[in-house]
Amino acid sequence: MLRTITTTPIEGQRPGTSGLRKKVATFQKPSYTENFLQSLFDVVQPDSGATLIIGGDGRFYNRTVIQQAIRLASANGYGRALIGRGGLLSTPAASHLIRKHGASGGLIFSASHNPGGPNGDFGIKYNTANGGPAPEAVTEAVYKRSLEIDRWLTLEAPDVDLDALGTSQVGGMTVEVIDPVTDYADLMEQLFDFAAIQKAVAEGFTMSFDAMSAVTGPYAIEILENRLGFAKGTVRNGTPLEDFGGHHPDPNLVHADELYRLMMSSNAPDFGAASDGDGDRNLIIGRHRFVTPSDSLAMLAANAHLAPAYKDGLKGIARSMPTSAAADRVAEALGIPCYETPTGWKFFGTLLDAGLVTICGEESAGTGSDHVREKDGLWAVLLWLNILAKRRISVDQLARDHWAECGRNYYARHDYEGIESAAADALMAELMGGLSALPGRSLGVLTVEAADSFSYSDPVDGSVTPNQGVRVIFEGGSRVVFRLSGTGTAGATLRVYLERYEPAEGRLDEETSTMLIELIEAAEAIAGIERHTGRSSPDVTT
Ligand code: G16
């Protein structure tokens, strides 16, 4: 029976870089989740009978919200919902299903790499019919709607059994619980040369994949172990857990420390990789060689033609502004355009839809292509495997060859987490106020060439997105970027991105920390990080 529940607006429903992300306790507040979902449905106004894809990364509260979403979706006129068994769908798999089934959109319940569990984080992302994250116009409209909402629609119906494949009826909506892995694994098999990888594996190529007790476990086991023939146990932490085993499912050198230590040890396999909570990020480490996400983008772009899906070459490359310029050099060498966008995968969507780019990437460990409209962790792993299997060289050698040709962009990101929002805002305001005085200023051995606040004009739809981070560029191509994170749930996180370019004939085999010392000092001198935040060093360096 259809029910209309009277409600009042609730504070704090403004989606950030990647949907609405809050503490679990916030989503547990009466009407909080229903208000947001109803605001969303009021904005997107599904055609009656439309298809909705539903899934999540398996974190705590996923199953509860999926049952709520099923009832609300039915009451709002959807005709069909496809749900991953166990409530699981990785973000790229959900993007693929939206496109494959011509769905009007999809709900992905995830707070990505943020910790889970009753005291952890939860999140709601909505992706549109192209498979990509909702653009700002949609998320802003949802937020506005949430400020005036006065009712939500639901119906009385028993919970759907999320663990059994099959079809059931909830009001006028057909609910299909589907295998979350098969369609995605089939897509990967179309894109890459599985035979070449299988051959390398049969000849002794080894790897270790850390699924971080998050959603990619079942995908990685099916693809890497069952289809490609890697030994059982290649996938570690392969069972999705509601609290990710108490860890941050964040594939970086801090949180994937065990994998990192293995890859630097004498027992290291040939290749190491990890993915995050919802499977869209990736970490790539060769034996004794960590590859920064920025370098990974550049190296994948330079070698992508070795995979069947990209054999005809790339149309263009896109990278987020704080991502290093390593990919720009590859684009230049290939004679294709390179676009610089704000942080957030949604900005790549218009470029991909318009056919302007084939490969995109972000420093925050996201890489992907036009096969879906999300970044895709396992896709990046498989493209690396495809390239290594064809070229028959190690990750380390591939990286050295690449730098010898294009030069090397030494790169690091310093995160200052959980700082007071007022202090973070004051730091950014002071930086912005002082931008015009920076060019020409000498800071030790460095001289500022240019400084600005990044503003993006979308070349396809003409929309302008201002204030996407402060860039300070030094003579010689080195750079510092300051930006506030859009994905944290406590206070503010300041990100400082440091990049030093060494040309092909320069110093290519140095420690990153050594090469960035002068830039770190310059960043402090320019922004007064310690003065504003009280912190003398970052919480996380990646
Ligand atoms: C999300 C977006 C990414 C973006 C990242 C930035 O990642 O999907 O496109 O790069 O946020 O995070 P921040 O604003 O904290 O720097 P995810 O993996 O959290 O969905």
Side-chain angles (χ1 to χ4, degrees), residues 136-137 342 347 453-468:
E136 215 132 295
F347 293 101
S453 167
F454 180 57
S455 172
Y456 178 62
S457 299
D458 189 304
V460 180
D461 65 20
S463 59
V464 175
T465 313
N467 295 329
Q468 294 299 301

Side-chain angles (χ1 to χ4, degrees), residues 11-358:
E11 286 285 313
Q13 301 211 310
R14 180 174 232 137
T17 315
S18 181
L20 186 67
R21 203 171 281 184
K22 303 278 175 197
K23 291 279 169 219
V24 166
T26 303
F27 283 95
Q28 288 172 323
K29 285 186 198 159
S31 289
Y32 187 92
T33 303
E34 294 92 337
N35 265 21
F36 185 76
L37 290 173
Q38 184 63 53
S39 301
L40 171 67
F41 294 147
D42 284 344
V43 166
V44 300
Q45 298 194 350
D47 291 339
S48 106
T51 298
L52 183 68
I53 306 297
I54 303 178
D57 63 12
R59 67 180 59 227
F60 179 78
Y61 214 49
N62 188 37
R63 286 170 179 265
T64 307
V65 176
I66 287 181
Q67 300 292 353
Q68 291 172 324
I70 291 171
R71 295 188 184 93
L72 264 92
S74 175
N76 277 277
Y78 283 94
R80 185 176 175 225
L82 297 180
I83 306 178
R85 184 181 46 214
L88 296 180
L89 278 182
S90 77
T91 288
S95 179
H96 175 52
L97 287 174
I98 293 170
R99 296 162 67 79
K100 179 176 172 182
H101 292 278
S104 63
L107 285 169
I108 306 166
F109 300 119
S110 169
S112 192
H113 53 287
N114 293 18
N119 299 318
D121 292 345
F122 191 77
I124 301 180
K125 299 195 284 186
Y126 178 73
N127 284 27
T128 48
N130 74 343
E136 215 132 295
V138 174
T139 54
E140 267 308 293
V142 173
Y143 173 59
K144 284 212 179 92
R145 178 67 195 149
S146 77
L147 300 175
E148 57 197 30
I149 188 165
D150 58 2
R151 58 92 187 91
W152 42 273
L153 308 177
T154 187
L155 42 78
E156 275 164 23
D159 280 359
V160 168
D161 181 356
L162 297 176
D163 297 309
L165 296 179
T167 302
S168 59
Q169 202 64 27
V170 175
M173 186 173 82
T174 306
V175 176
E176 287 171 49
V177 175
I178 59 170
D179 182 274
V181 173
T182 309
D183 289 308
Y184 176 83
D186 291 349
L187 174 66
M188 292 301 117
E189 206 159 339
Q190 284 163 30
L191 300 177
F192 300 114
D193 190 342
F194 270 37
I197 304 172
Q198 281 157 351
K199 184 160 177 279
V201 175
E203 289 171 12
F205 184 89
T206 53
M207 79 171 284
S208 181
F209 181 88
D210 191 345
M212 306 192 90
S213 305
V215 80
T216 41
Y219 295 86
I221 290 170
E222 170 62 16
I223 296 171
L224 300 175
E225 296 184 5
N226 298 347
R227 298 199 187 191
L228 288 171
F230 281 103
K232 298 283 170 225
T234 292
V235 178
R236 308 160 158 239
N237 302 314
T239 305
L241 301 175
E242 288 203 329
D243 66 348
F244 309 118
H247 301 293
H248 286 233
D250 193 353
N252 60 32
L253 298 185
V254 177
H255 296 298
D257 166 62
E258 212 178 286
L259 178 74
Y260 179 70
R261 279 188 281 122
L262 170 70
M263 295 309 298
M264 295 301 135
S265 76
S266 53
N267 297 325
D270 295 299
F271 188 69
S275 196
D276 69 332
D278 61 330
D280 56 3
R281 297 188 177 204
N282 70 87
L283 170 69
I284 302 295
I285 317 178
R287 179 186 290 143
H288 304 167
R289 171 62 65 191
F290 161 63
V291 183
T292 68
S294 296
D295 268 350
S296 178
L297 171 66
M299 292 168 191
L300 290 178
N303 292 283
H305 60 278
L306 298 171
Y310 312 103
K311 66 177 188 332
D312 297 331
L314 309 177
K315 293 174 192 147
I317 305 174
R319 64 164 173 86
S320 68
M321 182 275 279
T323 305
S324 94
D328 303 36
R329 295 178 215 289
V330 173
E332 204 182 316
L334 294 174
I336 55 175
C338 187
Y339 297 86
E340 186 177 33
T341 64
T343 296
W345 203 264
K346 59 191 169 201
F347 293 101
F348 296 138
T350 50
L351 303 175
L352 290 164
D353 284 346
L356 296 177
V357 299
T358 310

